[in-house]
Amino acid sequence: LKVMAVSGHVAKPGVYEIPMGTTVAELIQMAGGVMGGKRLKAFAPGGASSPFLPAEKADVEIDFGSIQAAGSMLGSGALVVVAEGTDMIKVATNVVSFFRNESCGKCVPCRTGTQKVVEMLDQILAGKSDGALPKILPSLEETLAQTSICGLGQVALNPLTSVLKHWPQELDRRLGRTATGTAR
């Protein structure tokens, strides 16, 4: 058995005890389905630090290996459900801002790395970005993962990198680019 906290855009958020191997889709249904009759857009199977997965992967079984093979992690066992129509760049900004705020500040990579990414995301949301985030994010993520003292800094950018991987068109739209990366 596995205890899973379910939050986000579900009708009945709460804590559910499920047999390992239950699918994410089945757990969402146990939680009353996606609120307002909307369709599922994304989910983070292991809480805020786990990479988001698109709705197409909701049939993944909830166990450590299956979630990892799908591209995320089971982490704290806190399923975060995101409904269609949700701006994933805003979601990523919210999560990275949370990690920036929770950083103890002891190690430079986490303290300054999360702050820099939040500043860049705020600029994107304000329509004033220079478009540099996608270029520097891979090396910044690697730096945080390899040099942060604790787990917080090591995973702080996971949600953002997964959003950019699965929903690149949302960033392109905010940066005024076409799908090919050229300016409109």
Side-chain angles (χ1 to χ4, degrees), residues 102-168:
E102 291 300 310
S103 173
C104 73
K106 184 175 182 179
C107 68
V108 174
C110 181
R111 180 179 67 241
T112 61
T114 57
Q115 178 60 35
K116 178 67 175 170
V117 171
V118 169
E119 288 170 1
M120 294 177 87
L121 287 167
D122 286 344
Q123 290 295 310
I124 289 168
L125 292 176
K128 299 176 182 178
S129 173
D130 62 5
L133 179 66
K135 295 174 200 141
I136 70 162
L137 188 61
S139 63
L140 187 56
E141 180 185 31
E142 183 178 353
T143 299
L144 264 71
Q146 297 296 319
T147 62
S148 292
I149 295 170
C150 79
L152 185 141
Q154 295 168 5
V155 299
L157 302 181
N158 279 351
L160 173 59
T161 56
S162 65
V163 164
L164 297 182
K165 175 182 176 182
H166 295 294
W167 298 274

Side-chain angles (χ1 to χ4, degrees), residues 13-184:
V15 178
Y16 294 83
E17 184 178 68
I18 59 168
M20 291 291 263
T22 300
T23 68
V24 168
E26 290 168 336
L27 179 55
I28 292 171
Q29 284 309 308
M30 288 178 206
V34 180
M35 278 190 331
K38 291 186 176 183
R39 293 177 46 199
L40 178 67
K41 180 174 186 173
F43 62 95
S49 64
S50 64
F52 284 96
L53 294 173
E56 301 80 56
K57 295 195 177 192
D59 286 332
V60 65
E61 292 183 354
I62 298 172
D63 64 61
F64 294 98
S66 297
I67 296 290
Q68 184 176 17
S72 192
M73 62 183 181
L74 194 50
S76 62
L79 177 67
V80 180
V81 177
V82 181
E84 68 178 349
T86 303
D87 183 329
M88 293 304 291
I89 302 299
K90 285 184 178 179
V91 170
T93 301
N94 184 41
V95 176
V96 176
S97 295
F98 167 78
F99 286 120
R100 180 218 37 213
N101 295 345
E102 291 300 310
S103 173
C104 73
K106 184 175 182 179
C107 68
V108 174
C110 181
R111 180 179 67 241
T112 61
T114 57
Q115 178 60 35
K116 178 67 175 170
V117 171
V118 169
E119 288 170 1
M120 294 177 87
L121 287 167
D122 286 344
Q123 290 295 310
I124 289 168
L125 292 176
K128 299 176 182 178
S129 173
D130 62 5
L133 179 66
K135 295 174 200 141
I136 70 162
L137 188 61
S139 63
L140 187 56
E141 180 185 31
E142 183 178 353
T143 299
L144 264 71
Q146 297 296 319
T147 62
S148 292
I149 295 170
C150 79
L152 185 141
Q154 295 168 5
V155 299
L157 302 181
N158 279 351
L160 173 59
T161 56
S162 65
V163 164
L164 297 182
K165 175 182 176 182
H166 295 294
W167 298 274
Q169 71 282 2
E170 293 196 23
L171 179 64
D172 288 342
R173 180 180 48 80
R174 287 200 171 270
L175 295 176
R177 297 188 309 208
T178 65
T180 61
T182 58
R184 285 186 203 155

